[in-house]
Amino acid sequence: MGFFISFEGVEGCGKTTQMEMLKDHLEWKGKRVLAVREPGGTELGERIRAILLNVEREKELYGDEKSIEGLDPWAELMLYEACRAQLVKKVIKPALDEGKVVLCDRYTDSTVSYQGFGRGLDIEAIRSLNRWASMGVVPDITFVVDCSPEVGLKRAVSRIESKGAGPREDRFENEAIEFHERVRQGYLKLAAEEPVRVKVVDGEREIAVIHKEICDIMEKIEKKKIN
Ligand code: TYD
C-alpha cells in the first residue's frame, strides 16, 4: 500500500502551494508521487467541478437570489460525493495499490467542514456518504493549513482580481467571512477529534516556514510508513 496525504483549509489559506512544495520535496527524495484535486481529477470530476464552481461564481457575482438557480445544499453535497466516488475508484485507490504517495487537494474533511459546519447539513449523514464515496480510503495524514477567513479571502480575492475576474461586493464578502469562520472552526474541531491523523499548521506564516514544518511532520511519520 502507498501513502495518502490530504490538504485542507479555507479559501486562500495556501494549501495548494504547500501541496505542490511537498510534492517536489517527495519527488526529490525519490518517491513516486501523484497529485490530484477535489472536486475534479477525473473526466467526470472536472465536468462536475465546472458545474459546482460556476454556480459558486454566479453566487459571488449576483448573490443567492439572482443567480440562475441556487444550488440546493444536498444537491451540492451529492455532486461532491459523485466526484469523490469516481476519483477514489479510478485514480486514488489504484495509485495507492501501486505503492505511490498520493497527495489530494481537499478530500472528505472539506465536505464535513463546508457542507456540514458551513452549510449546516447533518454531519453524520455526510460522514456516512463520505465513507461510501471514498470506499473507506482514509488519508494517512491530513494537513489543515489554518488561517483566518479575513486573511484567506483577501488572498483569494486578489488572486481572482489578478485573473481579471473583477471585484466582488462587500456584502458578499461579509457573508462569506461568517461562512468561512464556521468552516475554519469545523476543521479545528476535526483536528481535535483526530489529532493523530489531522495536523493543523499555522498558514499565516512565511511559505517556507510552513513548508519546513510540514516536511518535519512528514519526516517523523515517514520513517514508520513510507518506504
Ligand atoms: P477551488 O477553486 O479548488 O478552491 P480552493 O483553491 O480553495 O481549494 O474550489 C474548491 C471549492 O469547493 C472550495 O470552495 C471548497 C469547495 N468544496 C466543498 O464545499 N466541499 C467539498 O467536499 C469539496 C471537495 C470542496
Side-chain angles (χ1 to χ4, degrees), residues 76-194:
E76 183 189 35
L77 168 67
M78 303 298 178
L79 289 175
Y80 284 116
E81 299 293 359
C83 271
R84 179 164 304 136
Q86 191 79 357
L87 183 67
V88 173
K89 181 78 175 285
K90 301 276 181 191
V91 181
I92 294 178
K93 193 153 188 314
L96 291 172
D97 288 344
E98 278 177 36
K100 288 186 182 157
V101 180
V102 177
L103 303 180
C104 196
D105 192 340
R106 298 196 178 281
Y107 194 58
T108 46
D109 301 305
S110 274
T111 324
V112 175
S113 294
Y114 278 79
Q115 278 63 54
F117 289 99
R119 300 240 187 273
L121 299 188
D122 183 81
I123 305 267
E124 280 318 306
I126 294 171
R127 286 190 202 268
S128 170
L129 287 169
N130 276 348
R131 274 193 296 274
W132 285 104
S134 66
M135 302 169 75
V137 176
V138 177
D140 293 287
I141 186 147
T142 296
F143 291 105
V144 171
V145 182
D146 180 54
C147 84
S148 77
E150 285 84 359
V151 170
L153 282 174
K154 223 176 264 169
R155 291 181 191 161
V157 168
S158 68
R159 198 171 56 197
I160 289 169
E161 284 175 359
S162 72
K163 285 184 191 161
R168 296 189 286 188
E169 292 174 36
D170 284 351
R171 185 191 56 80
F172 171 76
E173 280 186 49
N174 291 336
E175 278 173 10
I177 296 275
E178 283 167 28
F179 173 76
H180 286 94
E181 188 53 47
R182 290 200 297 277
V183 173
R184 179 194 196 189
Q185 293 308 322
Y187 278 127
L188 297 177
K189 212 163 167 200
L190 292 179
E193 278 171 18
E194 284 187 76

Side-chain angles (χ1 to χ4, degrees), residues 5-17:
I5 307 165
S6 63
F7 280 80
E8 297 283 0
V10 297
E11 255 90 334
C13 68
K15 68 182 163 39
T16 307
T17 304

Side-chain angles (χ1 to χ4, degrees), residues 188-208:
L188 297 177
K189 212 163 167 200
L190 292 179
E193 278 171 18
E194 284 187 76
V196 176
R197 174 177 70 88
V198 185
K199 306 289 182 202
V200 179
V201 294
D202 176 357
E204 293 190 15
R205 297 167 300 165
E206 288 284 313
I207 287 174

